[in-house]
Amino acid sequence: MEIRRGIAVSPGVAIHRAVVVDAEDRPVPRRSITPDAVEGEIKRLEKALQASVDELSQLQKSSEERFGSEMARIFVFHAGLLRDQHLLEQLQSTIRNEHVTAEYAVYSVLRREVRKLQQVESQFFRERSRDFWDVERRILSQLIGPAAEGLGDMKTDSVLIAVDLTPSQTAGLDKTRVKGLATDAGGRTSHTAILAHALGIPAIVGLEDITSAVNPGDTVIIDGNRGLVIVHPDAAQLLEYRSELARQAETKITLAEVARQPAITTDGVEISLMANIEFPHEVKHAVEQGAEGIGLYRSEFIYLSSSVEPTEEEHYEAYISTVRQLDGRPLVIRTLDLGADKINANIDLSHERNPFLGCRSIRLCLQNLPLLKTQLRAILRASVEGQVSLMFPLICSVMEIRQAKMVLTDVMEDLQEEGIPFQQDIPVGMMVEVPAAALQVRTFCQEVDFLSIGTNDLIQYTVAVDRGNERIANLYSAAHPAVLQLVRDVTRAANRHRKGVSICGEMAGDPEFTMLLLGLGLRSLSMTPPALTAVKRIIRAVSVNQCQRVARKAATFDSDREVQNYLREELRRIVPDALDGRSIVG
Ligand code: PEP
Ligand code: MG
């Protein structure tokens, strides 16, 4: 038995035999050709490129049906790479000058691109090297036939163990067969992570060498809730996880019922439960899970699934489709939160020494006003058809929020002049995700209509721990007493100033914190859709009095460990079945 820990990117548990997809390294030997064969090789190359483009357009169509247009854009991006004139010239000149086969030219030129990207400091660019791998494999399979990797012919339910999956592989996964996914590579923002989550497959990435630890046919448990892969589980573990699965199956029906019930405490206090989404097509699932609306639409994902800057129309289409699907339910659109780990090839941030403290988020937007204005126009135009609010991320100073509001006013004036309708009194909010904003919250209450506490960043900036760094992940804790104090103070100040306040970091969807958050005064929580039912079940089982007592007691501890243990014990005591059915699948 062996236990490996990675980054949990999609919740749930799976126990199955493993299918292992080897490293996709497919070396192509350097074969020389005679000078008179050069033109023939170039023709072969061009034919393979065209066939690959055709294949991609098919894939784009099918993935649009399955996942929506954002995901399909990955394949538009790949087709764009294939049509790139500079790339074509490099390939042709390699064949011409080095007298090598078309496949060797493809192999050597695209690997060079991959290596270049892998050396870049930014995680986002490193992850984009996957796209070049993908494109290389696609052309090679046209030239020399597909690599034998057996993904398409899975006959039985399995868990998939891979070095990494290319976007096409992940999008093409047969969900009826693949019950779990674990990869050596990948981070939170990788396509694999995004797609696995959208597919609802329990997934863990960043395991480093899971492909060497697992052989095809081994029994593997993927625990996507805790980020664990258990290889060759012993009898006790199998028993434990199987009985957990059985329990989950029973409670699944109860949870589906919970989704339709109101989020109200035993003493009658209503809690607003909202969902965080990255793509418009997630609205349906969120509403099915009982979300009353969208508390955080991470609009930057429009950028992250494309290599070109989205136009105003593309922004508008994404927002209006979200608004219409919500059918009158509230929607909070956060303006672009690009930078740090969320970056795009259009914006050259690769040389920042300290990207999380660098030109990210609202700072980036305020330095690129056309970027921000394009988005604001689209949000405002979409606002006429629903209940839309807009929210600025990573606000650190009053000047920043004032500047952002001024840009908004400018955009409103432009629309007015052009006779384009929009919601004049659209509520404007800000994320509280740095200690400076939390400490100055009273001042910010004068500036905005509502606050949303982004604990993912608030924790990393409060305890100085990079939220994506596995090596110090044990130091990154939502239960840190300093974090609790900031959340409490922000909530109190907002309530006192009668400003809306909600919380939208991952902490909001963690059942262990639900009582604490209600006790601190929060009445609106926004979370990833799969977390909604488990959190609601707790809300329906506790009173605000009980929660306030828990919050008071939690504030007396000195360390995150004590806080965490206390919250866990209280949850077990007050709501014994609280963690049952937490998005566990078979
Ligand atoms: C946060 O920081 O808590 C948050 C919700 O924003 P993101 O995770 O997109 O940085
Ligand atoms: Mg954030």
Side-chain angles (χ1 to χ4, degrees):
M1 183 265 295
E2 200 177 340
I3 300 182
R4 300 288 176 110
R5 185 177 288 276
I7 305 168
V9 292
S10 181
V13 166
I15 311 173
H16 284 290
R17 294 205 180 276
V19 166
V20 182
V21 180
D22 284 335
E24 71 257 46
D25 211 3
R26 193 184 184 194
V28 174
R30 183 187 178 103
R31 290 227 170 83
S32 300
I33 53 167
T34 55
D36 58 354
V38 164
E39 288 315 312
E41 256 342 79
I42 287 182
K43 287 232 162 57
R44 262 186 83 223
L45 170 74
E46 287 167 356
K47 215 168 127 202
L49 291 176
Q50 186 52 51
S52 306
V53 170
D54 295 345
E55 213 173 72
L56 281 166
S57 97
Q58 285 302 323
L59 205 51
Q60 183 203 338
K61 259 189 232 135
S62 62
S63 101
E64 187 147 358
E65 279 157 23
R66 290 180 72 194
F67 307 109
S69 57
E70 294 76 21
M71 283 305 159
R73 282 161 68 114
I74 295 170
F75 302 114
V76 177
F77 173 44
H78 286 192
L81 287 178
L82 282 167
R83 289 198 201 94
D84 183 81
Q85 198 52 32
H86 178 63
L87 181 68
L88 178 65
E89 282 163 15
Q90 280 189 73
L91 293 169
Q92 288 170 333
S93 69
T94 306
I95 298 176
R96 275 211 179 92
N97 302 337
E98 298 182 26
H99 292 171
V100 290
T101 56
E103 51 269 29
Y104 184 75
V106 169
Y107 172 74
S108 64
V109 169
L110 282 155
R111 295 266 154 139
R112 204 162 53 223
E113 292 303 317
V114 167
R115 274 195 301 276
K116 267 197 238 155
L117 281 172
Q118 283 173 341
Q119 277 156 15
V120 172
E121 226 174 85
S122 138
Q123 191 191 349
F124 180 78
F125 273 117
R126 285 200 307 273
E127 283 167 4
R128 292 298 81 80
S129 67
R130 308 291 316 147
D131 294 301
F132 280 86
W133 277 112
D134 206 359
V135 164
E136 183 221 60
R137 290 151 62 85
R138 188 169 301 288
I139 316 172
L140 284 182
S141 81
Q142 292 295 335
L143 286 166
I144 50 178
E149 55 188 27
L151 251 190
D153 28 83
M154 256 181 211
K155 300 264 184 311
T156 55
D157 291 354
S158 314
V159 293
L160 191 61
I161 309 290
V163 174
D164 197 1
L165 293 179
T166 60
S168 342
Q169 284 175 322
T170 320
L173 287 182
D174 179 356
K175 199 190 158 189
T176 60
R177 289 285 182 236
V178 181
K179 299 297 181 187
L181 177 65
T183 62
D184 290 347
R188 282 176 214 284
T189 58
S190 63
H191 289 312
T192 310
I194 298 168
L195 283 161
H197 199 264
L199 282 168
I201 300 174
I204 303 166
V205 300
L207 285 148
E208 292 179 4
D209 60 351
I210 193 67
T211 43
S212 353
V214 180
N215 288 314
D218 284 353
T219 298
V220 172
I221 298 176
I222 300 216
D223 180 344
N225 301 322
R226 298 176 189 87
L228 300 179
V229 177
I230 307 173
V231 190
H232 297 305
D234 59 27
Q237 282 163 330
L238 276 174
L239 197 69
E240 184 193 328
Y241 273 96
R242 287 208 175 111
S243 62
E244 198 170 338
L245 281 172
R247 221 177 29 245
Q248 308 314 332
E250 277 169 27
T251 51
K252 227 173 176 175
I253 304 161
T254 334
L255 281 178
E257 278 166 15
V258 170
R260 290 189 294 275
Q261 293 167 341
I264 187 162
T265 59
T266 53
D267 49 352
V269 177
E270 278 178 38
I271 309 297
S272 154
L273 285 189
M274 312 274 274
N276 297 348
I277 59 163
E278 282 80 35
F279 301 106
H281 70 264
E282 291 174 274
V283 169
K284 185 168 174 279
H285 180 232
V287 171
E288 280 165 8
Q289 295 299 306
E292 288 164 34
I294 302 302
L296 170 66
Y297 177 3
R298 289 186 166 100
S299 65
E300 59 276 5
F301 275 78
I302 296 181
Y303 268 73
L304 296 178
S305 51
S306 165
S307 66
V308 289
E309 201 174 309
T311 59
E312 182 182 322
E313 278 321 296
E314 283 169 325
H315 277 289
Y316 175 73
E317 266 170 36
Y319 306 145
I320 201 71
S321 128
T322 311
V323 168
R324 287 179 184 151
Q325 290 179 74
L326 279 166
D327 199 16
R329 297 179 184 89
L331 164 66
V332 182
I333 304 179
R334 177 175 74 182
T335 60
L336 296 168
D337 186 31
L338 290 164
D341 56 341
K342 292 187 254 180
I343 70 166
N344 171 277
N346 300 312
I347 299 161
D348 183 16
L349 291 169
S350 45
H351 302 303
E352 288 216 301
R353 293 178 60 154
N354 223 332
F356 274 108
L357 302 182
C359 184
R360 61 171 294 208
S361 198
I362 191 70
R363 302 169 185 179
L364 178 77
C365 288
L366 292 176
Q367 285 188 19
N368 293 275
L369 286 186
L371 186 86
L372 179 59
K373 285 185 165 181
T374 302
Q375 177 175 36
L376 290 176
R377 281 178 68 93
I379 296 176
L380 286 170
R381 282 171 55 201
S383 69
V384 283
E385 286 198 34
Q387 209 187 316
V388 179
S389 309
L390 76 81
M391 171 162 83
F392 295 107
L394 206 82
I395 297 293
C396 297
S397 76
V398 174
M399 289 321 289
E400 255 166 4
I401 188 69
R402 288 190 187 148
Q403 216 182 327
K405 285 194 303 181
M406 263 158 53
V407 179
L408 179 65
T409 310
D410 280 356
V411 173
M412 285 180 164
E413 281 169 9
D414 290 348
L415 289 178
Q416 210 139 23
E417 270 169 31
E418 294 166 43
I420 298 173
F422 62 92
Q423 194 192 328
Q424 312 255 357
D425 55 352
I426 185 168
V428 177
M430 62 177 257
M431 302 267 304
V432 178
E433 47 186 349
V434 293
L439 292 167
Q440 234 190 323
V441 61
R442 280 168 210 80
T443 314
F444 284 111
C445 281
Q446 320 290 334
E447 299 288 334
V448 290
D449 300 313
F450 67 94
L451 305 169
S452 184
I453 308 174
T455 44
N456 301 343
D457 277 316
L458 186 61
I459 297 166
Q460 79 164 343
Y461 292 124
T462 304
V463 297
V465 174
D466 174 349
R467 68 195 244 194
N469 185 339
E470 317 84 77
R471 289 173 63 193
I472 44 172
N474 61 325
L475 301 176
Y476 180 94
S477 171
H480 194 295
V483 174
L484 301 193
Q485 266 184 47
L486 292 176
V487 173
R488 182 196 61 197
D489 293 350
V490 171
T491 310
R492 264 192 202 158
N495 285 339
R496 224 168 264 157
H497 286 79
R498 299 192 185 290
K499 298 287 174 174
V501 59
S502 73
I503 178 166
C504 63
E506 295 306 300
M507 186 182 186
D510 186 336
E512 286 178 5
F513 289 99
T514 307
M515 286 197 287
L516 172 80
L517 295 176
L518 300 194
L520 291 178
L522 280 152
R523 298 291 175 264
S524 171
L525 316 176
S526 190
M527 64 200 70
T528 169
L532 284 160
T533 44
V535 168
K536 196 195 283 183
R537 187 161 58 180
I538 296 167
I539 292 171
R540 293 179 54 80
V542 298
S543 69
V544 165
N545 260 340
Q546 270 174 321
C547 295
Q548 284 169 340
R549 192 185 51 74
V550 166
R552 273 198 302 273
K553 178 78 180 168
T556 64
F557 297 111
D558 299 330
S559 73
D560 62 303
R561 179 110 15 121
E562 289 166 292
V563 172
Q564 190 86 50
N565 288 342
Y566 167 69
L567 293 179
R568 203 164 285 159
E569 276 163 25
E570 281 299 273
L571 183 58
R572 289 221 175 94
R573 194 177 65 77
I574 301 175
V575 197
D577 60 351
L579 299 177
D580 288 355
R582 201 170 154 188
S583 326
I584 306 270
V585 297

